[in-house]
Amino acid sequence: MGRDGFLRPEAERMSTDPAWRAVTCWTLACSGLDEVIMLRAHRLTTERLRRLAAWRADTGIRLTLLAHTPEQTDLQRLLEHLTAAELVDVATVRGTAAVLEAIGPAATGRRTGPPPHDHAHQLPTLPRSGVAAFRADCWRRQNATDFAHTDGQYRAGYAAARTWLTRTWLTRTLPPQPTPPEVTEEADHPAEPTPFTLQETEDVRLFLARLTVSSPSAQHTVARVRGAQAAFLSRSLLLNVPDDLTSRAGPGLTTVPLTPRTVHTITVRLPNPLRAAAVAALLFTGTDTSLLSMTQIAGVDKDGTTVAIDRDSRINIGEEPGPRHLYAIPPRARPLLHAAVEFRRRTPRTADNHGLFANCFGTTPRFEALIADAGIPVPALVHPHSEDDWHTAARCWHLHTPAPPAPDVLPRRGELCP
């Protein structure tokens, strides 16, 4: 199935039952695998034929067995094994020509090797300015080429936030807002900003994770976040993120984009779905292993787009719940998470509140072996952090002031810069 993890002497081995569960889960999670041809089927035991029958029943694949039975006794023994394995709906074809016709023509597409190496344009060091002066400072300090790339990321964050606010945020019924005080001679102050509710805070943090999970560098992340902050201000919403953004951890800062080559490396080197999903989660969350180890099976939503980790309820039992730690699952990582969830649910004596990444982030030797098997640098391990990830520290308020005019198209270099 394209896995070479077992070819390396030092790689982790799986026993028979977990290995067959892994085969089933990978088949269900990875699209495009709908037919399997097995050679030397006359040498299969009844037990192995039973496992093939269960595999076919669970996945719906088309199973073709090629057997060499020159003697009638060999054929009779094979048919007995098939019957014992409850493979009774077998269509038997004999003769080379008939077999080739039943199999069909050869596949036209052939695997030529791993995808090409990743490449992204590197952005220069960005100013540490806040949202009000960020774009103007970039315009003054950067040359035309660098500013064009930086401004592209800024505009992407701005457009994504405006779209998200229009489609998701403004369609909801906003919480009751306090009535602004009457203007008097003694007081001429607008109403105090209203902090977001728990659900609103979670939604904003998940949006920030989705906005930055594909960022190839911390500089790209900063530009996208500043653009998103400008879009929030245009809707009279104040979005605050940590001042020391580049020194924090989390999506876009200590993550690795899940490119085709990265996913290919994970899947061919880690046949175990749990191990593959654990490494992928380290790469797209950029968080600490102590937090990631708290992920429950039910923490992955049904669509496989979000990971929710409710750390506070597990540490501070009985206290008022706080916002969950939410992470966006990139599209290329979703089959890996889907396979891991299926693998855990097919494991005996498993419930949805059990840990998803069981035995992945445990003892140091085991974890080191996992990282060695993956063969991919993990930024979150190179830059350990004790504080919460940057997007979980984000705060947002409703500002009770008229929204400033926000043009659909921001000025380009050479025009009036905000």
Side-chain angles (χ1 to χ4, degrees), residues 370-381:
L370 170 63
I371 300 304
D373 284 349
I376 299 176
V378 181
L381 303 180

Side-chain angles (χ1 to χ4, degrees), residues 48-328:
R48 291 174 178 175
L49 286 171
R50 283 198 182 99
R51 293 188 181 275
L52 285 173
W55 181 29
R56 186 185 65 161
D58 288 340
T59 61
I61 60 173
R62 181 174 183 262
L63 180 62
T64 301
L65 303 177
L66 294 184
H68 305 277
T69 54
E71 302 293 337
Q72 183 62 29
T73 55
D74 299 330
L75 176 60
Q76 185 63 32
R77 183 170 59 253
L78 175 60
L79 293 177
E80 291 174 357
H81 286 174
L82 292 174
T83 302
E86 300 182 358
L87 283 170
V88 295
D89 58 341
V90 178
T92 304
V93 176
R94 302 193 67 178
T96 302
V99 168
L100 292 177
E101 183 178 356
I103 293 176
T108 56
R110 294 183 179 274
R111 183 175 298 173
T112 58
H117 290 281
D118 306 326
H119 174 72
H121 180 85
Q122 296 297 318
L123 295 183
T125 302
L126 301 181
R128 298 174 59 88
S129 312
V131 59
F134 174 80
R135 189 167 179 269
D137 288 346
C138 291
W139 183 83
R140 284 191 294 266
R141 300 179 187 181
Q142 297 177 354
N143 59 41
T145 301
D146 287 340
F147 179 78
H149 287 286
T150 302
D151 197 38
Q153 296 298 312
Y154 181 93
R155 288 167 176 268
Y158 185 93
R162 292 270 292 190
T163 301
W164 181 75
L165 289 169
T166 301
R167 293 180 179 177
T168 306
W169 198 258
L170 297 181
T171 58
R172 300 178 181 176
T173 302
L174 296 178
Q177 307 297 328
T179 303
E182 297 181 359
V183 178
T184 64
E185 293 181 359
E186 292 80 10
D188 186 9
H189 303 289
E192 290 293 327
T194 304
F196 275 25
T197 63
L198 177 65
Q199 182 60 52
E200 292 172 337
T201 300
E202 286 190 347
D203 292 342
V204 170
R205 292 175 178 177
L206 181 58
F207 162 74
L208 293 174
R210 287 174 173 158
L211 176 68
T212 57
V213 69
S214 62
S215 292
S217 73
Q219 306 302 327
H220 289 76
T221 298
V222 171
R224 294 182 187 184
V225 172
R226 293 291 182 252
Q229 288 180 288
F232 271 67
L233 280 177
S234 72
R235 300 289 192 181
S236 293
L237 300 171
L238 177 62
L239 172 61
N240 274 3
V241 297
D243 294 334
D244 55 341
L245 191 60
T246 55
S247 64
R248 301 292 284 260
L253 299 178
T254 52
T255 55
V256 174
L258 270 294
T259 61
R261 189 176 185 89
T262 301
V263 174
H264 172 83
T265 303
I266 294 173
T267 54
V268 301
R269 292 178 65 92
L270 297 171
N272 188 322
L274 292 185
R275 308 293 188 265
V279 170
L282 276 174
L283 295 179
F284 70 73
T285 64
T287 193
D288 191 77
T289 55
S290 62
L291 176 63
L292 202 57
S293 63
M294 298 182 183
T295 308
Q296 298 179 354
I297 298 174
V300 179
D301 67 343
K302 294 181 179 180
D303 297 330
T305 60
T306 305
V307 172
I309 306 174
D310 194 357
R311 183 188 67 178
D312 294 344
S313 66
R314 300 190 64 179
I315 296 179
N316 306 316
I317 300 176
E319 295 186 9
E320 189 73 17
R324 297 170 298 171
H325 294 251
L326 297 172
Y327 297 89

Side-chain angles (χ1 to χ4, degrees), residues 351-369:
D352 278 354
N353 62 346
H354 289 180
L356 175 60
F357 304 118
N359 301 322
C360 292
F361 306 123
T363 61
T364 300
R366 177 185 299 162
F367 182 62
E368 290 177 349

